């Protein structure tokens, strides 16, 4: 929980409403997060992954009560990702044990159809026993400046959270980078190149390594 207890890598964004700005920001935020709240993996299904929004301090809850979501001018919440996958080595071990017992009892190895049926039954059994791997990533949203911080290091995960925010709250999430800030300020992209101070006043911008340091 880096928002409250430490610091890790985070990405910063600004948001723009896709529609008219909401009149009741807190109600809009609560309703949107609930619409994309985390739902546990259905162990009877084939799904191996589930993701959605949860409360910051209680990843088992997605009620988003006012006292658990809003802190001054900030909305603090988290994005939870669960994965549930039966290890291939475990499946093979259990299937081999079953095949050995089947051969001993029936005097022959199991047919392909029998083995496939047992594999499906074993997968469901092992899914019931398996413990999902859970990760939660913090998100901070400034309700006044409309800026968002996603506390995650993985680019793929950050992108997934941004897409979820856009879907839940009908906003456009835009990265706060030098290029995007310059574009917003109307600065020509060509003006973002290295300055003379950066590359050295006595060297042209296109100088090669040999030109700068001499031939080896």
């Amino acid at each position: 929980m880096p928002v409250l207890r430490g610091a890790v890598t985070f990405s910063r964004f600004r948001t723009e409403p896709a529609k008219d700005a909401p009149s009741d920001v807190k109600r809009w935020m609560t309703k949107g997060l609930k619409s994309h709240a985390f739902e546990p993996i259905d162990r009877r299904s084939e799904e191996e992954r589930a993701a959605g929004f949860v409360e910051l301090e209680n990843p088992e809850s997605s009620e988003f009560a006012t006292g658990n979501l809003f802190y001054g001018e900030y909305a603090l919440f988290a994005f939870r990702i669960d994965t549930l996958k039966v290890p291939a080595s475990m499946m093979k071990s259990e299937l081999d044990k079953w095949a050995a017992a089947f051969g001993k009892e029936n005097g022959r190895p199991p047919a392909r159809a029998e083995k496939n049926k047992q594999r499906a039954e074993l997968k469901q059994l092992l899914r019931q026993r398996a413990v999902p791997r859970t990760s939660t990533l913090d998100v901070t949203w400034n309700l006044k400046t409309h800026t968002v911080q996603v506390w995650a290091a993985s680019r793929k995960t950050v992108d997934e959270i941004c897409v979820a925010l856009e879907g839940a709250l009908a906003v456009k999430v835009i990265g706060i980078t030098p290029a995007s800030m310059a574009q917003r300020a109307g600065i020509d992209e060509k003006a973002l190149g290295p300055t003379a101070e950066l590359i050295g006043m006595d060297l042209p911008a296109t100088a090669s390594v040999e030109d700068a340091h001499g031939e080896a």
Side-chain angles (χ1 to χ4, degrees), residues 13-195:
F13 302 88
R14 61 183 175 87
T15 63
E16 295 179 354
K19 304 176 182 178
D20 294 335
S23 56
D24 188 336
V25 175
K26 290 186 175 181
R27 184 172 180 273
W28 160 77
M29 177 71 68
T30 302
K31 183 178 179 181
L33 294 178
K34 283 186 175 181
S35 72
H36 281 63
F38 173 82
E39 294 184 2
I41 295 173
D42 183 355
R43 292 175 181 267
R44 297 168 298 178
S45 70
E46 293 294 321
E47 64 183 16
E48 297 182 344
R49 191 176 187 276
F53 297 110
V54 294
E55 293 181 3
L56 179 67
E57 296 193 79
N58 183 8
E60 300 298 327
S61 175
S62 54
E63 292 300 315
F64 300 109
T66 299
N68 297 332
L69 176 59
F70 301 105
Y71 298 78
E73 64 185 42
Y74 286 91
L76 306 182
F77 50 96
F79 190 75
R80 174 175 169 176
I81 301 173
D82 274 18
T83 54
L84 179 66
K85 191 171 183 179
V86 177
S89 58
M90 182 182 295
M91 173 66 78
K92 183 178 185 304
S93 176
E94 293 296 325
L95 195 59
D96 287 347
K97 290 179 185 178
W98 172 83
F102 181 96
K104 186 175 181 180
E105 180 178 351
N106 296 278
R108 63 174 178 84
R112 178 178 297 180
E114 293 170 324
K115 198 169 184 177
N116 287 340
K117 180 181 178 182
Q118 183 62 22
R119 181 182 287 106
E121 292 177 357
L122 273 174
K123 184 176 181 180
Q124 283 301 316
L125 178 62
L126 294 175
R127 275 176 64 87
Q128 294 300 321
R129 297 176 180 174
V131 178
R133 182 165 59 87
T134 298
S135 63
T136 56
L137 299 313
D138 296 354
V139 181
T140 65
W141 186 304
N142 189 305
L143 302 174
K144 290 186 177 181
T145 63
H146 309 291
T147 55
V148 176
Q149 292 178 333
V150 178
W151 300 72
S154 166
R155 182 75 257 173
K156 183 177 179 180
T157 301
V158 171
D159 289 343
E160 180 181 6
I161 295 173
C162 288
V163 170
L165 288 171
E166 291 180 336
L169 298 163
V171 295
K172 186 176 181 181
V173 180
I174 304 167
I176 298 179
T177 62
S180 66
M181 293 174 69
Q183 183 179 21
R184 189 181 185 190
I187 299 174
D188 191 331
E189 184 178 350
K190 295 179 181 179
L192 300 179
T195 63

Side-chain angles (χ1 to χ4, degrees), residues 5-19:
R5 300 180 185 173
V8 294
T9 301
F10 65 85
S11 300
R12 297 178 66 230
F13 302 88
R14 61 183 175 87
T15 63
E16 295 179 354
K19 304 176 182 178

